[in-house]
């Protein structure tokens, strides 16, 4: 009987101590285990200049958050090297690591359903960015989101930027004075929605503004400077005196065209226009080598994306102050940056 009483006494003491510990822990959050947030990021190609710049902003914002909030931030960044199967495997890896949120820059936008299925099974939110999945895929679940610019607005902005320059001084674009602008176009990627929309609306806007256009040729350069350089070289051989304007879907390809013009010593002041507003692109505009570029606000892009990821990881919801179209789309703002009036030929030298 005495042994029973001792056992009951010790059991009461243990239960009381446990209750006090729970109460103390609930009232003193400083005694909780250290928290962490893990975000998986897979890129279609990590040497893409624009994508790389967004990734750097995400990393900077993660470090700031870790410092101010005392929450450990883990970013797992992987390069899919333009292979969709590789990207699918990377998502499997993120899920196995216990990532709270996954950010996906799709290799093939039409293949998002495979990644969505994996994420839904584990109830892990996904933020797609820069390469927009088809709407049918994004509408499948309330924890799927897209962050990116509006390609139609970018195309319209590029067209208006060029039309403004033409209205101010037609001879800047109409080099031979025949009343029309002969152009070539560097397209980003076959079938890519941003490439298609930027091209369509830049050209249509110029026509709507009354600029008489003549398309000489165009080609796919896959967003890459080196490929644009090669294409421009071929076009200059075919149209040595006709090209007056180079329309480019992004700054890297625009810089590739400029590289060719510089290397071949072309003194005709061919106008080149880009999109993205990368540091190198802005430098080219400032120095007079590029007519202009459409600047995508990368800071807003990266910071908004990180805020969404953190909020989803911690609360399962996006921040209330971030306005989302149809509850899933954040469209990053963009604006034109055009060089000051400069009629003479560009300075010599290659843009790095």
């Amino acid at each position: 009987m005495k042994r029973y009483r001792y056992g009951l006494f010790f059991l009461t003491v243990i239960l009381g101590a446990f209750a006090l510990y729970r109460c103390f822990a609930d009232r003193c959050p400083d005694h909780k285990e250290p928290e962490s947030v893990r975000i998986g990021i897979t890129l279609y190609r990590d040497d893409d200049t624009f994508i790389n710049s967004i990734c750097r902003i995400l990393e900077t914002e993660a470090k700031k958050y870790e410092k101010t909030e005392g929450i450990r931030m883990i970013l797992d960044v992987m390069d899919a090297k333009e292979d969709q199967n590789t990207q699918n495997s990377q998502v499997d890896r993120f899920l196995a690591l216990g990532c709270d949120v996954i950010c996906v820059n799709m290799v093939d936008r039409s293949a998002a359903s495979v990644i969505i299925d994996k994420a839904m099974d584990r109830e892990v939110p996904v933020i797609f960015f820069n390469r927009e999945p088809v709407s049918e895929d994004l509408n499948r679940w309330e924890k799927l989101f897209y962050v990116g610019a509006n390609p139609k607005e970018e195309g319209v902005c590029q067209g208006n930027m060029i039309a403004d320059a033409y209205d101010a001084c037609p001879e800047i674009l109409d080099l031979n004075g025949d009343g029309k602008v002969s152009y070539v176009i560097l397209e980003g990627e076959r079938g890519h929605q941003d490439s298609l929309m930027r091209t369509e609306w830049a050209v249509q806007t110029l026509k709507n503004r009354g600029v008489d256009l003549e398309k000489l040729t165009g080609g796919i350069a896959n967003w890459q400077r080196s490929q644009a350089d090669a294409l421009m070289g071929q076009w200059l051989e075919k149209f040595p005196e006709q090209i007056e304007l180079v329309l480019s879907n992004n700054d890297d390809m625009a810089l590739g065209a400029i590289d060719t013009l510089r290397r071949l010593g072309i003194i005709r002041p061919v106008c080149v226009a880009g999109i993205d507003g990368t540091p190198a692109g802005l430098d080219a505009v400032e120095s007079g080598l590029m007519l202009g570029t459409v600047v995508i606000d990368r800071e807003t892009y990266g910071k908004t994306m990180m805020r969404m990821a953190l909020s989803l990881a911690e609360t399962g919801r996006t921040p209330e102050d971030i306005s989302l179209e149809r509850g899933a789309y954040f469209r990053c703002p963009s604006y034109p940056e055009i060089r000051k009036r400069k009629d003479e030929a560009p300075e010599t030298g290659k843009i790095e």
Side-chain angles (χ1 to χ4, degrees):
M1 188 69 167
K2 186 181 291 185
R3 185 177 301 170
Y4 171 77
R5 288 176 180 171
Y6 281 138
L8 185 61
F9 172 75
F10 283 121
L11 178 61
T12 303
V13 170
I14 291 170
L15 289 174
F18 180 72
L20 285 172
Y21 168 77
R22 289 299 303 272
C23 180
F24 181 74
D26 290 341
R27 295 189 180 187
C28 302
D30 290 343
H31 286 75
K32 291 181 180 179
E33 290 297 316
E35 298 181 34
S36 67
V37 172
R38 189 165 204 146
I39 300 173
I41 304 172
T42 171
L43 312 175
Y44 93 103
R45 200 184 76 230
D46 76 350
D47 62 351
D48 181 291
T49 302
F50 181 78
I51 295 299
N52 192 270
S53 70
I54 295 299
C55 201
R56 298 292 79 78
I57 293 171
L58 294 176
E59 291 171 347
T60 299
E61 291 303 304
K63 290 176 183 177
K64 288 180 182 177
Y65 186 82
E66 185 174 65
K67 185 175 181 180
T68 58
E69 301 299 324
I71 295 177
R72 186 183 178 210
M73 292 294 303
I74 306 169
L75 297 190
D76 296 306
V77 182
M78 295 186 178
D79 178 10
K81 300 184 184 299
E82 298 187 272
D83 185 283
Q84 189 57 58
N85 290 329
T86 297
Q87 189 164 68
N88 294 344
S89 297
Q90 289 170 349
V91 170
D92 288 334
R93 174 67 174 160
F94 292 153
L95 294 171
L97 289 170
C99 286
D100 300 289
V101 180
I102 296 173
C103 300
V104 182
N105 172 222
M106 289 294 302
V107 172
D108 178 0
R109 66 185 290 257
S110 65
S113 60
V114 175
I115 289 174
I116 291 170
D117 287 341
K118 297 173 185 289
M120 288 178 66
D121 286 344
R122 301 288 289 271
E123 297 189 353
V124 177
V126 180
I127 301 174
F128 295 96
F129 67 103
N130 189 252
R131 298 160 79 87
E132 182 179 340
V134 296
S135 59
E136 291 81 3
D137 283 335
L138 213 64
N139 291 335
R140 289 179 55 196
W141 189 34
E142 68 274 10
K143 292 187 178 181
L144 302 174
F145 304 90
Y146 176 73
V147 174
N150 186 320
K152 177 181 176 179
E153 289 183 3
E154 293 166 334
V156 170
C157 186
Q158 188 183 52
N160 280 324
M161 176 178 67
I162 298 167
D164 288 344
Y166 182 81
D167 288 346
C169 185
E171 58 268 26
I172 288 179
L173 287 156
D174 182 12
L175 299 180
N176 60 11
D178 65 353
K180 60 185 175 184
V181 177
S182 299
Y183 74 98
V184 296
I185 187 154
L186 288 163
E187 299 182 72
E189 189 175 331
R190 195 177 306 280
H192 191 292
Q193 78 279 16
D194 282 12
S195 184
L196 296 170
M197 295 286 279
R198 289 175 181 180
T199 298
E200 176 186 354
W201 286 100
V203 172
Q204 188 59 51
T205 300
L206 281 165
K207 291 179 179 178
N208 292 344
R209 290 283 301 272
V211 180
D212 190 2
L213 296 174
E214 177 190 24
K215 181 179 178 180
L216 298 175
T217 189
I220 304 295
N222 293 304
W223 311 110
Q224 296 182 44
R225 185 168 177 165
S226 60
Q227 292 189 29
D229 186 339
L231 278 178
M232 191 65 184
Q234 296 171 19
W235 296 343
L236 285 169
E237 286 184 8
K238 188 174 182 180
F239 306 104
E241 298 295 327
Q242 294 98 308
I243 299 174
E244 297 171 317
L245 170 66
V246 180
L247 276 175
S248 177
N249 286 166
N250 78 339
D251 283 353
D252 269 7
M253 294 187 298
L255 292 170
I258 292 171
D259 288 343
T260 309
L261 292 167
R262 311 305 294 162
R263 186 177 62 255
L264 298 179
I266 305 297
I267 61 173
R268 296 174 71 249
V270 176
C271 284
V272 181
I275 294 176
D276 277 348
T278 62
L282 291 171
D283 285 346
V285 174
E286 178 67 22
S287 65
L289 290 165
M290 191 187 297
L291 173 68
T293 182
V294 178
V295 181
I296 299 172
D297 188 342
R298 297 189 309 279
E299 288 293 322
T300 297
Y301 193 126
K303 289 179 179 180
T304 300
M305 189 170 155
M306 180 53 69
R307 286 186 60 214
M308 288 174 63
L310 289 169
S311 183
L312 286 166
E314 294 178 340
T315 70
R317 300 184 300 274
T318 58
E320 293 182 359
D321 62 334
I322 295 179
S323 179
L324 299 177
E325 294 179 10
R326 290 174 283 165
Y329 297 82
F330 177 79
R331 299 295 184 182
C332 185
S334 57
Y335 58 89
E337 183 71 27
I338 194 164
R339 75 183 181 209
K340 296 178 182 178
R341 173 84 177 268
K342 190 173 184 179
D343 298 337
E344 67 270 17
E347 302 292 336
T348 60
K350 179 178 176 180
I351 293 292
E352 297 298 334

